[in-house]
Amino acid sequence: ERTFNECVALKEITVPTSVKKIGPAAFVHAGIEAFYYEGTAEQWDAVEKASTWDALTDFTEVIFPDEAGALGE
């Protein structure tokens, strides 16, 4: 819950497959422009996400390895 709240200097994040739950407002007002998930879209869908996990964020999509080549490139 509110894990990266207001971390405006954080521009990109890579979430590992070990994450199984994302709490409310985890990324509110964070400066994240690129949001990567190490697993597949199906694995991402299985992650329990609070309805407001991505409220008031700048990123518009979750990027998966098969979409980005090597993560972070």
Side-chain angles (χ1 to χ4, degrees):
E1 188 170 317
R2 297 184 183 268
T3 308
F4 296 101
N5 187 30
E6 297 190 31
C7 291
V8 295
L10 184 62
K11 298 300 178 195
E12 89 177 33
I13 189 166
T14 299
V15 177
T17 57
S18 60
V19 171
K20 303 299 181 201
K21 182 177 181 179
I22 300 177
F27 300 100
V28 168
H29 296 296
I32 299 170
E33 298 167 359
F35 190 99
Y36 297 94
Y37 180 69
E38 290 183 336
T40 65
E42 292 78 23
Q43 289 172 307
W44 175 249
D45 289 342
V47 173
E48 182 182 340
K49 298 175 276 300
S51 62
T52 59
W53 76 273
D54 61 347
L56 304 172
T57 59
D58 291 333
F59 64 90
T60 58
E61 66 181 334
V62 177
I63 303 165
F64 303 98
D66 57 341
E67 297 173 358
L71 284 176
E73 287 187 357

